[in-house]
Amino acid sequence: MNIVVQKYGGSSVATPEKIKRIAETVIKRKKAGDSMVVVVSAMGKSTDQLIALAKSVSEKPSKRELDALISTGEMVSSSLLSMAIQEMGHDAVSLNAYQIAIRTDGTYGKSIIQSIDDSVIKRHLESGKIVVVAGFQGISESYDLTTLGRGGSDTTAVAIAARLGGVCEIYTDVEGIYSLDPRLYSEAKKLEEISYEEMVELSVLGAKVMHSRSVELAQKYNIPIYVGMSCSDTKGTYIREVKNMENKPITGIAVSDADVAVTLENINFDINLLADIFESIANKKINIDIISQTAPLHGKVNLSFTIPAEDLDECISTVSKFAGQEDIIVDEDITKFSVVGIGMKTTSGVASKIFKIFKENSIQVKMITTSEIKITCAIKREDKSKAVEIIAKEFNL
């Protein structure tokens, strides 16, 4: 049985007409001999609408109830697509996280999948049905609904493909993966392929095409992912192990305005204190990216780090026990600008070239972090467009 797991994003299922087109596409693939599992996101902007609805009745809605509410969007999409397929004369069944036991670690808003019971899916496939799964959702040990974070339907699809030993195809409203967001740079190039490692970095750093955990999962189980435009014959992009890399240091650029920088001033220079600060933040499931620390002066240091803006209030309340309110400084005027490429492992001078270009164009760098395949800078938001254009042109992206 050749199993194909397809995922369709919110823009792809935004209207009844689009849902019908997907039904036709899936049926065509089924007629060609493939066993079809289709994972769907919520229709259009319905998740945002549900969040707004929650906030209309509660300033700070319970994370448990918010997950219970927003997970309904995917169930609407899966039921409608199943109905559309049935209307066209083919057997289909919609399934949610309860029915296929997508077990998660129980963290509301950004759960991690721990296991899936594939027996229900297999039974329906063996009976000839097209299986339509509500993405983005899972259930905790206590049987609460939890969600997987923005883009979590990608992770649902990859996890199911890994469990079933199938191939994974992600369909959205773009033709594939580009070197950078075409809305920021109109001359951005579409990539034929990109490595798992690069795609993970770009996703974490702000590229919104793929959910980072879905790519990590695909890499772990060696599941190639095809990313393309819904209901289109235009060639897309493969995310997979890339053996023959171009002699090119940078593959892509990611930018994000979704972070803020937090600085704790005049804290004691004590490794135990630093460990306690970061452990407390980690316990709140808050992701830290760029970290910098000043040299000790009279036994005191300044500690800075970036976090998602949505976690700012929780972070401030967490670190306030380590620093006085007047010593906690928040900088919201940052864009996280990142260049990523496996080619940087074997190419020297990339960082010096980038910082020279920034210097020549008066782009101030507030914070920096690097790895073997990435350079990330925090810059002023007003410099974002300029930085994207000059680096993209310089490195032919």
Side-chain angles (χ1 to χ4, degrees), residues 8-48:
Y8 290 91
S11 58
S12 301
V13 294
T15 65
E17 291 71 30
K18 288 185 174 184
I19 288 173
K20 289 176 184 178
R21 282 204 297 274
I22 290 169
E24 291 170 351
T25 300
V26 172
I27 289 169
K28 183 179 178 181
R29 196 71 174 268
K30 175 79 165 58
K31 286 180 175 178
D34 292 324
S35 294
M36 301 300 297
V37 179
V38 185
V39 176
V40 288
S41 298
M43 296 175 69
K45 300 291 184 181
S46 60
T47 299
D48 292 334

Side-chain angles (χ1 to χ4, degrees), residues 203-237:
S203 298
V204 167
L205 295 166
K208 297 176 181 178
V209 178
M210 289 292 299
H211 195 233
S212 60
R213 287 205 301 272
S214 69
V215 186
E216 290 170 353
L217 198 61
Q219 183 175 21
K220 180 178 179 180
Y221 292 101
N222 195 26
I223 304 287
I225 304 174
Y226 174 80
V227 181
M229 180 175 277
S230 301
C231 308
S232 169
D233 293 328
T234 305
K235 188 177 179 183
T237 305

Side-chain angles (χ1 to χ4, degrees), residues 163-392:
R163 192 76 182 87
L164 296 174
V167 300
C168 187
E169 301 170 354
I170 306 291
Y171 292 102
T172 180
D173 57 354
V174 295
E175 294 182 347
I177 296 167
Y178 287 76
S179 54
L180 65 156
D181 191 337
R183 290 170 297 184
L184 295 175
Y185 183 64
S186 60
E187 296 177 32
K189 295 177 175 59
K190 186 171 68 176
L191 305 172
E192 289 186 11
E193 63 179 358
I194 185 171
S195 71
Y196 294 119
E197 197 176 356
E198 290 170 320
M199 194 68 245
V200 167
E201 289 285 11
L202 287 169
S203 298
V204 167
L205 295 166
K208 297 176 181 178
V209 178
M210 289 292 299
H211 195 233
S212 60
R213 287 205 301 272
S214 69
V215 186
E216 290 170 353
L217 198 61
Q219 183 175 21
K220 180 178 179 180
Y221 292 101
N222 195 26
I223 304 287
I225 304 174
Y226 174 80
V227 181
M229 180 175 277
S230 301
C231 308
S232 169
D233 293 328
T234 305
K235 188 177 179 183
T237 305
Y238 280 96
I239 305 169
R240 56 192 174 195
E241 204 62 58
V242 178
K243 294 179 181 178
N244 298 314
M245 295 297 299
E246 272 187 82
N247 186 23
K248 191 174 181 180
I250 295 175
T251 298
I253 293 174
V255 295
S256 173
D257 293 331
D259 293 78
V260 296
V262 177
T263 299
L264 308 184
E265 295 187 328
N266 300 312
I267 62 173
N268 291 329
F269 178 52
D270 180 350
I271 188 62
N272 295 318
L273 176 61
L274 293 178
D276 290 343
I277 290 171
F278 288 122
E279 183 179 9
S280 297
I281 296 171
N283 287 340
K284 297 295 184 179
K285 307 291 185 184
I286 298 171
N287 292 325
I288 291 175
D289 186 16
I290 307 175
I291 301 173
S292 67
Q293 178 189 295
T294 59
L297 182 64
H298 307 303
K300 300 286 186 178
V301 295
N302 293 344
L303 176 68
S304 300
F305 50 87
T306 59
I307 60 167
E310 64 184 11
D311 294 325
L312 179 59
D313 290 344
E314 193 164 29
C315 181
I316 296 298
S317 66
T318 301
V319 300
S320 59
K321 60 187 176 185
F322 302 104
Q325 200 64 41
E326 69 281 1
D327 294 323
I328 302 174
I329 310 300
V330 177
D331 183 359
E332 298 186 42
D333 181 23
I334 65 167
T335 285
K336 205 161 64 174
F337 178 92
S338 306
V339 295
V340 173
I342 285 180
M344 281 195 276
K345 288 182 178 181
T346 55
T347 305
S348 61
V350 176
S352 65
K353 191 172 185 179
I354 288 172
F355 295 131
K356 182 182 178 183
I357 291 170
F358 281 178
K359 176 186 173 183
E360 291 169 348
N361 289 273
S362 302
I363 296 173
Q364 179 188 350
V365 177
K366 299 182 177 185
M367 299 172 71
I368 305 166
T369 185
T370 66
S371 73
E372 272 194 317
I373 70 164
K374 77 166 183 184
I375 299 167
T376 297
C377 310
I379 62 176
K380 290 182 178 180
R381 290 189 179 177
E382 66 182 22
D383 290 331
K384 175 175 67 175
S385 297
K386 181 165 60 172
V388 166
E389 185 168 352
I390 58 178
I391 297 300

Side-chain angles (χ1 to χ4, degrees), residues 132-168:
V132 186
V133 176
F136 180 59
Q137 59 180 233
I139 53 172
S140 68
E141 283 188 7
S142 56
Y143 291 92
D144 283 344
L145 275 163
T146 63
T147 61
L148 308 180
R150 288 286 183 175
S153 294
D154 294 346
T155 304
T156 305
V158 173
I160 291 173
R163 192 76 182 87
L164 296 174
V167 300
C168 187

